[in-house]
Amino acid sequence: MPERRGLRAASARRAALVAAVLAGAAARDARATELEVDARTAAQAYQVTGPWTGSVLDRRRLTQTLGLAAYDLQGTRRVGAPSYSVALLLRLDADFGVNDRLASDQAGGETTYSGPAAAGSRYVPGLRPAPIDLVYGYVEGRDLAHGWLGFRLGRQVVSDVLGWWSFDGALVRLTTPAHVRAEVYGGFEQRGGLPLSTARYESQGVWRGSHSDFGVSGDSPRLTDYPSYQYAAPAPAFGVVAESVGLGFGHARVDYRRVYDSGVSVTQQFPDARGGYRAIDGLRLSSEKVGVAAEGDVLGRARARAGLAWDLHAARAGSAFGSVEGYLGRRVTLGADVDWFAPTFDADSIWSWFTHAGVLTTTGRVGARLSREADVAASAGARQWYTEGDPTTFAASECQAAAREGRIATANCASGGTFDASTGAARDAASQDASRATTATTDGIANASARYAWPSGLASARASLRVGARGRRVGGDVVGEKRLSGGRYTLGARTSLYDWADPERPERNATSFGYVIGVGFRPATSGALRLEWEHDMNRLVGQRFRVLALLDVWVGR
Amino acid sequence: MSRRASWWRAGARLAFGCVAAATLGVCLPRAAAQVTPPGAAGTPVAGATAARGASPAPGSERAPGLELLPPGAARSPTPSDEIFPPQSLPLRFDHKKHVQGLRVRCTSCHAAAITSDAASDRLLPAGTTCDGCHGSDHGAREGARGTGSLGRCDLCHAGAAGAGIARVVVPPPNLRFSHRLHAARNIGCGQCHGRVGEVGLATRDALPRMAGCVRCHDTIGPGQGAAKAECPTCHLTRADGRLVQAFATGPLVPPRWLRGAEHGADWIERHRAAAAEDSGFCASCHTARECADCHDGRVRPRSVHPNDYLSMHGIAARQDSPRCVSCHQEATFCADCHRRAGVARDAASGSRATGRRFHAPPGEWTAAPRGPGHHAWEAMRNLGACVSCHTERDCATCHATKGVPGGQGVNPHPPGFASACAGPLRRNPRPCLVCHASGDRHLGACR
């Protein structure tokens, strides 16, 4: 028996060596134009319950993505020589559950304003049962003019310190031998309500969409029925970038981007005496941001990284981060991270000018690679939330000011007596600097994760804790996946246990246990099927189920 | 009792020490020492396979230390399995004796190295290279047996005594490399291969480390030449320009010292800063589609949102962890569902639950004075969460100035806003006009 095992081991070793040789050889081939087709069909069915009983949405979703790409359109590929390619990714996201829960007298009411039921009694402006969008689609040229120039033309995604963003237009990249690269781009921001577009990349705070079915007939919604639902219109945008390139010890990048809103926008949220609404038209700023980020080596034993995104319109830092990590021995990494985030909004949004603060998160972390297969990581820290004024004493100072004017008895301040705080000394007290001093509340956060991966499987576990004045959430999950017959079959499982409590809504406190069982089948080298069954249980929803089927087909990938 | 306690203490100390040492890599075998030594010269080593590791020089009991290994070995004790797949070297060879003792030049045996333009070129000497000195005849059909003691098969070949000559298997590296270009720049062998002339059998451990490569490729100025520290300079690329990442020995992932981008167990939580700082680096391996699968995804990624996330997303949004806007446009993605479920304030009349209220009672949540449970504090802390359910109309109900329909004149602006509002008003007056009439004295002051 030992001899047989030895033979098997030797055979496996030889097979691995042969595979390595073949893989290496295959990877080195220079080829002519290459085509890739990549399609994913995802079918999901699950239910969404509202916070109150009786409100259940059926989600029966079919998401179909289709990716097409052609590389090396110029013919034979040579390293450093000009190359051209096209790539696009189309997506259909249909939900057959839209309208489905409605009674027959309200049929189609979520997407159609008119109907047998009262006009608009179920209507959700902008809701589409089967939107199609182009995630990206562009022509690209690389290494033109002896490596100096590159371009992209079409819908493309930009990811930088300013965020994840998409536009339709052109990007030109100039790479110099002096380790500096410049980019200039311009076009139109991808916006919801425009053809083949989603609202994902718009700035926050504005609800926009197509009004094509508004005001077209007597039983369609009037143009002013939903004054907060803004008209989608092309949004001109441009940006410039400068960054270092080709330096392993560090990198730095500076970004500037400006986006404009255009077209009609209703401003007045309630009708005036004549029933009219005011609106504004024309080109106006949507967002203007500048960002800088850098990363580098510190004495060969640590790395440091920092970034800042500054909203020029709101004149505030939308986000900032910094981190440093040091290497203790060959296996252990120690790090500290700080992250600042303050919501910023489209310049069309009123929330840009509402008093609001950012969130500061500070954590320390440790990671250890125990072996080639196993690693663990843990982090812990604090998240601070800020307010202008102390929530615990603010009302008392208002009340005492009102009491001095005799509008309320001082004794009633302690018992929560009410008065009009928008006038007189109470209003003045609320606006005084002393009353608006910045006050912080702190949440504790902690994460831990571990992973063990071997050639035919993966086991991992993670746990997280969020605790503070804003509630508590603690839990974790364990995941296992095993590939059989060289990856032809896959078995997977995930189980989780979470507990949460929200002091604002204690009736929503719950403990949840859930598990997922999945099987996969790969009938060919260019296709895979995966089925998953999820079963969650908590006292709020009882039992909740979700099924997911994924079919991937690809050619040339 | 005290003896038992001392045993416990000792055991605990031992366990703690082992865990700490294992974590720090002290009591685990050094990666560089994970060898199957082919044995000292003259000792039969049938079937020896130097899959990895450095070979002790003849007469030495120790594998070469860092001082003999290539530059960068301090950071990467062993070369990457993905770049340099495991080899089978059933050989005995003494570089030290040949190079230092016999003064044989590297190119005497590895002549092709200085003209090689591809990493896949085979640069190991053929057996016939040895024949001139050893008196063997590798060209002979029946075998290469020599006549003298130097020509014996088992002098060099492990297993030659009985089981025949085991084959040397050296898979080509998954790399783009030109020995010729490096040699032309007067870069000596040792600059990449370390002090290979002082070891016995040169194994994978004498192969270059990436940390060593970037020592030169990172320099600024003429010393660098045309080869910058960009990934495709050395790594194999796909047609779309991304690196080839899937290898028989495992996936290609960045070492921790490279841009601080070790894809460890907590990478899903940490990758944001790396991507924000240099997404081009990420794009060396990842497509926009991979990003979109999560950040604009339509299938919930369980690595981000665990099981039953629908039930707990409310409190997660209150804690803004994970950050909702990383993937969602709140006014549409979140609010559309909230409108359908009747949670949003402007949900259609037929979807709204009558007599139900999401927040605390109005006396606490909206009415003055501003107690600890007032919505103003929640809005200041986490305004994004408000946007996931509320529209401008909801806020303008009270915050618009008196005189504007619906306005109660509750000022939502931060202190000092009046002195800073001119610029925003000029660039985009739209939000101002939601709450202020065009002839409003506040707007006049701003102008």
Side-chain angles (χ1 to χ4, degrees), chain B residues 134-167:
Chain B
H134 282 260
S136 53
D137 182 8
H138 282 83
R141 182 179 294 271
E142 296 303 319
R145 188 181 301 276
T147 51
S149 60
L150 282 178
R152 282 181 13 239
C153 299
D154 64 353
L155 182 72
C156 302
H157 292 284
I165 304 294
R167 290 189 65 82

Side-chain angles (χ1 to χ4, degrees), chain A residues 91 101 121 159 200 248 251 266 285 305 329 339 348 353 372 462 470 473 512 532 534 538 544, chain B residues 82 218 256 259 272 277 279 295-296 302-303 308 311 318 321 323 326 340 350 412-413 428 430:
Chain A
R91 179 170 56 190
R101 65 177 173 143
S121 66
S159 178
R200 163 67 184 86
H251 174 264
V266 175
L285 189 72
R305 176 183 284 126
D339 181 274
D348 260 2
W353 311 118
R372 186 176 159 85
R462 66 173 175 176
R470 307 170 55 73
R473 184 163 49 111
S512 165
E532 285 186 4
E534 179 176 338
N538 67 62
R544 189 210 298 277
Chain B
E82 287 70 48
D218 246 3
R256 64 177 179 175
R259 299 286 178 84
R272 188 185 74 84
E277 190 273 322
S279 62
H295 286 277
D296 186 19
R302 290 198 175 93
S303 57
D308 206 13
S311 293
R318 271 195 18 95
S321 180
R323 187 172 297 157
S326 294
R340 291 185 66 202
H413 299 307
N428 189 338
R430 194 258 165 196

